[in-house]
Amino acid sequence: MQPTQISKGIYDVGVQDWNIRDFHGYSTPTGTTYNAFLIVDEKIALIDTVKKDFSDQLIKNISAIIPPEKIDYVISNHTEMDHTGSLPVIMNCIGEHKPLYCSKMGKKNLALHYRNKWNYHAVENGEELNLGKHQLTFLEARMLHWPDSMLTYEKSEKILFSSDAFGQHYAGYDKFDDQVDLDELLHHSKKYFANIILLFAGQVKKLLKTVNDMGLTINMICPDHGMIWRKNPGVIIDAYDKWSDQATIKKAVLVYDTMWQSTEKMAEQISAGIASEGVSVRPMSLRTNHRSDIMTELMDAKALVVGSPTLNNNVYPTISDFLTYMKGLRPQNKLAACFGSYGWNGASIKILNNEMKSMNFQMIDESGLKIHYVPDEDGLKKCYEYGQSIGKAICQS
Ligand code: FEO
């Protein structure tokens, strides 16, 4: 795809990765993009690069605007390899003596990744770089989402090059927020937040405060993934502010897997019981829902209800997978309850309880609900009533 001019003298020279379907555990059904930005002025700067596999396309995109060797500065906002994998090719092409701007941690982390003696320039927070008409300011954004993360603000056009923040794993021929459906874009943004940014919600608040304290006007946000926020930068800033509060609504997400449909029957009745109390409920079988879509649904839910049959004195493997993934993201402010069927040992409930408590979920009921083998009429009624008690607890919290 050809580079896109996003503003006077500023181009997106990034690439689409149409075929990626798993981004370290996160499902990417439309693929993603690795955005990189070229600023052509008296001095020429490249902000970020792309995944290694696409370095030829990056060079081609830059070459459509200027000969790549004319680049004076490379700016690396973040070390993760989807944005630096092409640095060796770029530095080799433009000359390894050219300054490579990054944060102090970026300098350390780039050296650990590429074992190269590039001409690093580790910036101070707030340091500026003058390109001519365009002046860049570097803003430290430690742990948003790596220790090396920083953002670059361009003063004349008021553009924030935001690295991973405000992005989406969303590939398309369009490049701007006003060219796609806003609800769909916000859904992808929410999924990205739920699966990448959630753990760093505190750092989001800090960044928004810094932007506010510095009085920075933002006309456009250029993330390193997905669409550029040209028309609605305020929409995604407000969404990040709201999402980082981790506020919840009257909603339950019910996650489960099943061996012989007993736990599934329980899930159906528990869901119905929760709904009967006027609470939105989203049953999500791990057979048909990806862990990253569950995290997206869970973001504003007041309660998580987890169901697992007992298998070999343990929980079902898909449940372990989900709990491990969720634990890393540390969702806050949630109630929880557990259930499951069993044969000769109902160990899954105790394991689920302990797991949820270790993640600071507030248990609605520590004993959970277990059913021996296949639920009969009475068992199904107990499940419905258990759902009602969960619904009531949500309404009272
Ligand atoms: Fe898109 Fe943290 O890399």
Side-chain angles (χ1 to χ4, degrees):
M1 194 172 171
Q2 288 293 306
T4 308
Q5 182 158 8
I6 61 170
S7 189
K8 203 168 174 222
I10 305 181
Y11 304 83
D12 180 0
V13 289
V15 302
Q16 278 88 355
D17 186 351
W18 297 110
N19 295 319
I20 189 168
R21 289 293 175 269
D22 181 288
F23 197 98
H24 45 54
Y26 170 150
S27 72
T28 51
T30 70
T32 192
T33 74
Y34 311 114
N35 303 337
F37 302 96
L38 189 70
I39 305 180
V40 180
D41 202 327
E42 289 162 30
K43 294 287 185 184
I44 299 176
L46 175 68
I47 302 179
D48 293 327
T49 74
V50 301
K51 207 172 174 179
K52 183 182 174 187
D53 318 22
F54 299 92
S55 52
D56 288 351
Q57 185 65 46
L58 175 64
I59 293 285
K60 206 171 148 193
N61 289 351
I62 295 169
S63 303
I65 302 159
I66 46 125
E69 56 274 17
K70 286 200 161 183
I71 291 172
D72 296 292
Y73 307 108
V74 176
I75 294 153
S76 171
N77 277 334
H78 169 36
T79 306
E80 196 164 4
M81 287 186 280
D82 47 337
H83 309 299
T84 60
S86 296
L87 260 183
V89 171
I90 287 289
M91 296 310 289
N92 187 44
C93 176
I94 69 172
E96 298 202 341
H97 62 287
K98 300 270 182 78
L100 172 52
Y101 280 61
C102 56
S103 67
K104 288 183 189 125
M105 282 305 292
K107 179 178 173 179
K108 276 188 193 164
N109 287 351
L110 285 167
L112 289 168
H113 275 72
Y114 298 104
R115 312 283 168 182
N116 229 318
K117 291 202 170 93
W118 289 324
N119 181 17
Y120 293 106
H121 178 90
V123 301
E124 297 294 334
N125 186 31
E127 187 173 326
E128 297 188 340
L129 173 64
N130 200 342
L131 303 177
K133 292 186 184 66
H134 299 93
Q135 193 164 10
L136 305 180
T137 307
F138 304 108
L139 305 172
E140 196 174 70
R142 259 177 103 90
M143 298 317 298
L144 189 60
H145 69 134
W146 275 26
D148 48 67
S149 297
M150 69 174 196
L151 282 59
T152 300
Y153 179 73
E154 197 286 316
K155 242 184 200 171
S156 69
E157 307 278 333
K158 302 181 172 40
I159 299 175
L160 183 65
F161 297 95
S162 63
S163 184
D164 278 327
F166 310 114
Q168 332 91 43
H169 283 312
Y170 183 27
Y173 284 112
D174 297 315
K175 280 293 356 162
F176 298 100
D177 58 340
D178 50 285
Q179 296 172 319
V180 297
D181 182 82
L182 185 59
D183 287 342
E184 191 182 351
L185 183 58
L186 280 170
H187 171 76
H188 284 286
S189 302
K190 186 177 177 186
K191 180 170 177 178
Y192 188 94
F193 190 101
N195 288 278
I196 295 184
I197 307 290
L198 186 67
L199 177 61
F200 309 104
Q203 277 75 18
V204 171
K205 286 286 185 202
K206 206 169 150 190
L207 170 69
L208 296 179
K209 185 175 180 313
T210 302
V211 167
N212 197 39
D213 290 351
M214 290 176 77
L216 297 183
T217 303
I218 296 174
N219 287 344
M220 195 185 297
I221 299 177
C222 295
D224 275 356
H225 297 288
M227 303 295 144
I228 291 166
W229 298 92
R230 173 172 70 179
K231 187 178 176 194
N232 295 304
V235 167
I236 191 63
I237 289 173
D238 289 348
Y240 262 53
D241 193 21
K242 187 180 98 180
W243 293 334
S244 55
D245 285 338
Q246 300 207 46
T248 58
I249 58 173
K250 256 181 18 174
K251 170 179 165 187
V253 170
L254 196 146
V255 181
Y256 68 96
D257 206 338
T258 195
M259 278 167 74
W260 295 105
Q261 284 65 55
S262 291
T263 302
E264 186 161 68
K265 284 176 184 152
M266 294 178 74
E268 285 164 6
Q269 289 305 309
I270 292 169
S271 296
I274 296 172
S276 74
E277 296 297 321
V279 172
S280 303
V281 59
R282 185 77 197 267
M284 300 185 87
S285 162
L286 280 162
R287 298 285 169 101
T288 49
N289 291 282
H290 195 270
R291 61 173 95 79
S292 53
D293 292 318
I294 296 173
M295 284 310 302
T296 313
E297 274 298 331
L298 185 61
M299 233 170 60
D300 60 359
K302 183 68 225 177
L304 172 65
V305 186
V306 184
S308 174
T310 298
L311 174 65
N312 298 330
N313 302 316
N314 213 319
V315 295
Y316 213 69
T318 50
I319 296 286
S320 290
D321 171 282
F322 172 70
L323 293 176
T324 300
Y325 186 74
M326 180 174 67
K327 195 173 204 167
L329 291 163
R330 283 191 220 153
Q332 306 287 318
N333 310 328
K334 308 225 182 280
L335 305 176
C338 312
F339 67 97
S341 70
Y342 70 101
W344 50 98
N345 166 340
S348 70
I349 299 297
K350 193 171 173 194
I351 294 167
L352 288 175
N353 253 311
N354 289 341
E355 280 290 317
M356 307 300 279
K357 281 199 278 188
S358 77
M359 292 181 228
N360 290 326
F361 283 71
Q362 190 188 331
M363 302 311 293
I364 293 171
D365 163 32
E366 297 241 356
S367 48
L369 179 65
K370 51 186 175 184
I371 297 276
H372 202 191
Y373 287 118
V374 179
D376 59 8
E377 280 303 311
D378 187 48
L380 292 174
K381 187 165 170 276
K382 279 193 180 124
C383 291
Y384 185 85
E385 288 165 359
Y386 190 58
Q388 285 180 308
S389 67
I390 293 169
K392 285 189 174 77
I394 292 170
C395 292
Q396 285 161 9
S397 69

